[in-house]
Amino acid sequence: MATTHNSWITVEDLHFRYPGADDDVLSGAELTVEPGEFVAVIGGNGSGKTTLCKSFNGIIPHFYEGDLRGCVTVAGHEVPSSSVSELSQHVGYVFQEFDNQLVSPTVFDEVAFAPLNYGKEDYRERVHQTLDLLDLDGLEDRFVWELSGGQKHLVALAAALSLDPDILVVDEPAAQLDPVNARETYDHLAHLNDAHGKTVVTIEHQTEFIAEYCDSVVLVEDGAVSWKLPVEEALNELSDLRAQDVHPPQVTRIAEQVSGDEADLPVTLADGLNWFTDHTTTATGEPDTQTERSHRGDPVVSFDDVSHSYGTLRSGTKQVLDGLSLDLYPDDRVVLVGSNGAGKSTLLQLITGLETPDAGTVTVDGIDTDAVLPENLAEEVVYVKQNPEEMFINDSVRADVAHYLSEKGYPDVEARVDEVIDFLDLTELQDRDGRLLSVGQQRRASLAIGLATDPSIVLLDEPTGSLDLASREEVDRTIERAGERVETVAIATHDLELAASWGTRIVVLDDGGVIADGPPSEVFSDLDILDRANLRAPQVTRLGTELGLDPAPLTVDRFVARLDDAGIIPPDKPRSTREGHR
């Protein structure tokens, strides 16, 4: 890859309104990105950050047409008067839903797609050079749909790099990946930035990655750029971050509560270790105590020696589960974790009957899922997909909640709808189209569709992916309410902060089976298990381990409570700032 130093991005007084919208999504945005910068763009859901970045490669206004005013100049080209084709040679873009931009059958074809369409005679060399750069050698002939999520993401990145662009924009690089694959992606972006001079722009909610990898941070608020600051300074603007529903790093939140200040706080784990050594004593207060809930009664879900595989065109079958046995009990709050492709979503789908095992049995409330139709199991099992918008088919939330009840002939449909809408605080949203709600609202509304049948089991697939702080907290409340109403809740997630703070059982999947099953304090203290499953304990747990806390706290609140018990928290610090930040 050629090293380039002649690229930049300039945005001047940019306004943009989507067709049919009442308000501008961008309103006077101003921004300059210098050559070779590694920049994170942050902001709440709906703030305009993705729209801003889509103006860099001409998708806005050439693909998403609308009312655009102002000026965007990228690598010396004015975006409104330059074609997407022309701009794509200077700006590579990887979408948050990266699966949607993979258009070719094999890895080689995907990475060769752009060079071939531009008539590059050296397209083969470009493909191999790019695959080598991202450690994808040997995958050239693999079908894209056979790859893991982490591999697909790197293939999308390779395709974006195949024209050797000066600028690379990546939307939510960590959102759909397990912690190790997410870190691998950021390592590649850092190498492209450091060794190849690429200007890198990421749209990101996970401030731990921002702190470790980025040079500067851009905060987008209500369609405008509030500020652009060096990363350490930016992540110390705690009031601004929280006002835009951005979580500061866990180590920063803990230090804030220990010091009572909102300045010069650590933002990385390494800085945090030095900071806490200087600011705290060796006293640690009372340790966390968290024990596994005792199982009461018979299991509500049982996997007995279950195996499941998917067919592939070239390698026969891909084994996902291999002889797995697992019981879920009433009152369980189960979190399924593991690397991309470990079988988390497959396990949930087997509970619903949408998939059936190749061998072994899955029983739900004593019923063999292979012997009943999925729609019959749906009365007892609610499954909220990773993309909840797929559950909406009518033009209002209320109609969607009533649809299944009416189709199945339930009595008192309207009363049931009223009750579940009230339970989930959906009254103000019930007449809106579910497909047009925010992701947090969609998860709440999609859960209402399922809860209307009074099920006993709720399953959620990646409930907090790609969410800002406000949406995460909304989903957290939704999950808590689900647990109040049903016997068992199980979540598949890469969000280990959620797993540590909410779960009573952490089930770790790897190599087709369960390699760990226990309370969070037990599982997250086993570094060998985490490493085997491509997992990393939450930053707060890693900080506690490095500081010698045994067992290490699992959440910010528990860490602060330990320090509080030890008398380390300033006694005059207001409680309102010490509580409520997980």
Side-chain angles (χ1 to χ4, degrees):
M1 292 286 171
T3 301
T4 57
H5 296 285
N6 59 349
S7 60
W8 65 89
I9 301 170
T10 304
V11 180
E12 299 176 296
D13 194 27
L14 185 64
H15 297 254
F16 184 75
R17 180 178 300 187
Y18 288 102
D22 295 328
D23 300 308
D24 289 349
V25 67
L26 295 176
S27 52
E30 302 263 355
L31 176 66
T32 299
V33 177
E34 299 297 336
E37 279 196 273
F38 196 141
V39 182
V41 179
I42 63 175
N45 291 123
S47 62
K49 58 186 183 297
T50 297
T51 300
L52 174 66
C53 291
K54 284 179 178 176
S55 74
F56 300 164
N57 70 341
I59 294 177
I60 289 175
H62 300 302
F63 184 77
Y64 293 107
E65 296 181 353
D67 179 19
L68 183 140
R69 290 173 287 125
C71 182
V72 183
T73 304
V74 178
H77 297 267
E78 292 188 4
V79 168
S81 59
S82 302
S83 67
V84 173
S85 173
E86 184 178 16
L87 292 166
S88 67
Q89 298 180 72
H90 301 278
V91 184
Y93 201 110
V94 181
F95 292 89
Q96 180 179 333
E97 301 294 339
F98 53 85
D99 267 333
N100 295 339
Q101 71 185 94
L102 300 174
V103 298
S104 300
T106 69
V107 171
F108 182 92
D109 293 336
E110 182 64 39
V111 181
F113 182 84
L116 275 172
N117 277 275
Y118 280 98
K120 304 291 186 182
E121 294 183 359
D122 62 344
Y123 73 93
R124 291 186 178 276
E125 290 80 1
R126 287 174 176 266
V127 170
H128 291 291
Q129 186 179 18
T130 305
L131 293 178
D132 179 64
L133 184 64
L134 297 177
D135 297 326
L136 292 172
D137 281 344
L139 296 183
E140 294 93 327
D141 296 328
R142 290 281 300 276
F143 288 105
V144 170
W145 58 268
E146 294 178 335
L147 303 178
S148 69
Q151 290 171 327
K152 286 182 182 179
H153 193 269
L154 288 178
V155 170
L157 181 58
L161 285 169
S162 62
L163 293 175
D164 195 15
D166 305 323
I167 301 164
L168 189 62
V169 182
V170 188
D171 193 347
E172 295 281 4
Q176 298 187 45
L177 303 180
D178 63 59
V180 170
N181 275 315
R183 188 163 295 277
E184 180 183 358
T185 295
Y186 264 100
D187 285 340
H188 284 303
L189 294 176
H191 179 69
L192 290 167
N193 177 249
D194 292 337
H196 299 275
K198 302 297 182 187
T199 302
V200 179
V201 179
T202 65
I203 304 169
E204 186 58 85
H205 282 118
Q206 299 191 39
T207 50
E208 181 180 338
F209 286 115
I210 294 172
E212 291 189 36
Y213 289 94
C214 297
D215 303 321
S216 56
V217 182
V218 173
L219 179 68
V220 180
E221 177 181 359
D222 296 329
V225 174
S226 294
W227 44 251
K228 178 186 175 189
L229 296 170
V231 64
E232 292 86 359
E233 184 179 347
L235 295 182
N236 269 266
E237 295 288 346
L238 304 188
S239 298
D240 287 354
L241 297 180
R242 288 177 176 139
Q244 291 306 304
D245 297 320
V246 176
H247 248 324
Q250 286 186 319
V251 65
T252 310
R253 285 178 265 160
I254 297 168
E256 174 199 16
Q257 297 184 58
V258 170
S259 70
D261 296 325
E262 191 178 312
D264 298 323
L265 301 176
V267 298
T268 67
L269 180 62
D271 290 342
L273 289 172
N274 294 329
W275 191 95
F276 278 96
T277 300
D278 294 339
H279 287 75
T280 66
T281 68
T282 57
T284 60
E286 292 298 319
D288 266 0
T289 57
Q290 185 178 25
T291 58
E292 185 176 2
R293 293 186 181 185
S294 59
H295 297 317
R296 300 188 299 273
D298 297 328
V300 294
V301 176
S302 289
F303 289 78
D304 184 12
D305 199 23
V306 169
S307 296
H308 190 72
S309 60
Y310 294 102
T312 65
L313 290 181
R314 293 184 178 172
S315 55
T317 60
K318 178 182 179 182
Q319 196 73 30
V320 180
L321 303 178
D322 187 9
L324 178 143
S325 294
L326 177 70
D327 291 327
L328 307 184
Y329 292 86
D331 298 327
D332 266 348
R333 292 156 59 127
V334 181
V335 183
L336 306 173
V337 298
S339 62
N340 290 103
K344 302 183 296 295
S345 296
T346 298
L347 191 148
L348 295 184
Q349 291 171 6
L350 285 166
I351 297 174
T352 68
L354 294 172
E355 298 280 353
T356 56
D358 300 336
T361 57
V362 180
T363 57
V364 176
D365 286 336
I367 301 171
D368 186 340
T369 60
D370 206 7
V372 296
L373 295 173
E375 52 262 38
N376 293 330
L377 288 174
E379 298 182 8
E380 291 300 323
V381 181
V382 172
Y383 177 42
V384 180
K385 299 180 180 181
Q386 184 172 347
N387 299 313
E389 68 272 11
E390 296 175 7
M391 298 182 69
F392 303 111
I393 59 176
N394 293 291
D395 59 2
S396 74
V397 170
R398 185 177 186 87
D400 280 317
V401 175
H403 179 83
Y404 182 79
L405 296 174
S406 299
E407 287 290 311
K408 298 295 288 186
Y410 276 81
D412 304 320
V413 170
E414 291 303 314
R416 282 177 176 265
V417 174
D418 286 338
E419 194 271 335
V420 76
I421 282 179
D422 179 67
F423 178 74
L424 290 174
D425 290 335
L426 287 166
T427 302
E428 294 184 0
L429 301 176
Q430 64 179 324
D431 295 322
R432 293 181 58 186
D433 189 327
R435 292 160 293 196
L436 302 180
L437 300 177
S438 71
V439 177
Q441 292 170 335
Q442 284 181 339
R443 294 203 183 279
R444 187 153 41 108
S446 59
L447 185 59
I449 295 171
L451 288 183
T453 64
D454 289 326
S456 59
I457 302 165
V458 168
L459 312 173
L460 299 105
D461 199 349
E462 289 292 354
T464 58
S466 304
L467 298 183
D468 61 19
L469 175 57
S471 297
R472 282 179 58 95
E473 291 179 342
E474 180 175 9
V475 170
D476 288 350
R477 290 191 296 270
T478 299
I479 295 170
E480 288 288 346
R481 291 194 176 193
E484 295 170 7
R485 189 176 177 113
V486 304
E487 286 186 342
T488 305
V489 181
I491 294 172
T493 187
H494 292 131
D495 183 351
L496 299 193
E497 189 174 340
L498 170 66
S501 65
W502 176 84
T504 58
R505 283 178 68 188
I506 307 297
V507 176
V508 184
L509 301 179
D510 185 66
D511 197 25
V514 175
I515 62 171
D517 181 0
S521 57
E522 175 184 307
V523 173
F524 288 139
S525 65
D526 191 331
L527 300 183
D528 290 337
I529 287 290
L530 297 180
D531 184 61
R532 176 179 168 184
N534 272 14
L535 301 174
R536 283 167 60 88
Q539 188 182 58
V540 63
T541 305
R542 286 179 277 129
L543 176 64
T545 299
E546 292 288 343
L547 292 175
L549 303 186
D550 185 23
L554 298 175
T555 69
V556 168
D557 287 343
R558 293 173 193 166
F559 195 114
V560 171
R562 294 272 288 275
L563 299 181
D564 205 355
D565 290 341
I568 294 171
I569 305 294
D572 58 344
K573 184 164 178 58
R575 294 292 299 184
S576 61
T577 62
R578 292 171 52 186
E579 297 177 338
H581 303 304
R582 192 180 66 191

